[in-house]
Amino acid sequence: MLPRFDGRNFTGVTVEMRNAFDRDGVLVLDGLVPTQMCDDLRTHMNGMIQSFDADEHASVFSTTHQTHAQDAYFLSSGHTTRFFYEEEAFDNNGTLNKPLESAINKVGHAMHDTDPVFSRFSRQLAFSELAQGLGIQSPRLAQSMYIFKQPHIGGEVVCHQDATFIRTRPNSCLGFWVALEDATEENGCLWGIPGAHKSDMPKSLFIREGDGTRTHVLDETPYAEEKRVSLPAPKGTVLVFGGLFPHMSSANRSDKSRHAFTLHVIDGDADYPADNWLQRPEDMPFKGF
Ligand code: FE2
């Protein structure tokens, strides 16, 4: 069982928090985000879905089948707001078999810059203090995602390290994972491998190459998944973990959704390679808190 900290009265990173983060690779802060803020973000996202033109945008997001990888819609989503469907939301003829709000896997990847509500949520003081307190000198907000983990069809996310996808030299990726609803083992909460983050590089790199991508494997040894622990997160809990912390989540076969918001911050002083999949146009650089 990993230590859990009370985030309700968070005023900065304590020595105990920093020690837990350094030792385990993840920091669990219960109640850091007020539940009303979680509800407001869910309501706002629902409004975005209602005004979304489903015929214009269609892309399936899957970590088990990387069908999205060559998809220009995905590759050009680093500076805008795009919608990705669950794999199981389509029938054999490729027709959507669910209402839109039950069919979307995630929305990404720059709502923190393109949408005022997401910008405010992403730039809340606690996140800025956490980034500074956990060693990011010049924080830059690189990526945001709203993840639905839909009832019955919410897809599995296989074990991975976020630095595979958001790489800097040296590694500086820091992820904030916010439970917008109760996340339990039944509806697909995160799992992680404590202490498995102590390497210099991720096991693989997800590289942009021309109009597509490829995965470059650096270390073929499998993750020690037998050592994984579940990270249940009541609504408002924030999990903070670095880019080298291996984590995963199971499919959601329950009848409860598991909405979450994630924000990834990097250090503006680190080098951001041009072959990272997520790129910004020159006139829209990553910004700070
Ligand atoms: Fe991740």
Side-chain angles (χ1 to χ4, degrees), residues 161-179:
Q161 295 162 300
D162 291 344
T164 290
F165 305 95
I166 302 176
R167 183 167 41 110
T168 63
R169 299 191 203 99
N171 170 58
S172 66
C173 173
L174 184 69
F176 297 84
W177 191 100
V178 186

Side-chain angles (χ1 to χ4, degrees), residues 97 121 168 281:
N97 61 17
F121 191 92
T168 63

Side-chain angles (χ1 to χ4, degrees), residues 61 86 98 105 115 124 160 166 196:
F61 183 82
E86 288 288 357
K98 301 246 181 265
N105 168 292
D115 182 282
Q124 55 188 287
H160 66 280
I166 302 176

Side-chain angles (χ1 to χ4, degrees), residues 32-66:
L32 184 75
V33 174
T35 54
Q36 185 64 50
M37 273 177 81
C38 297
D39 292 343
D40 290 348
L41 201 69
R42 287 177 53 210
T43 302
H44 180 65
M45 174 50 73
N46 194 44
M48 286 168 69
I49 291 172
Q50 300 313 322
S51 56
F52 165 69
D53 181 353
D55 295 332
E56 196 180 315
H57 312 275
S59 187
V60 172
F61 183 82
S62 162
T63 61
T64 47
H65 302 96
Q66 294 216 336

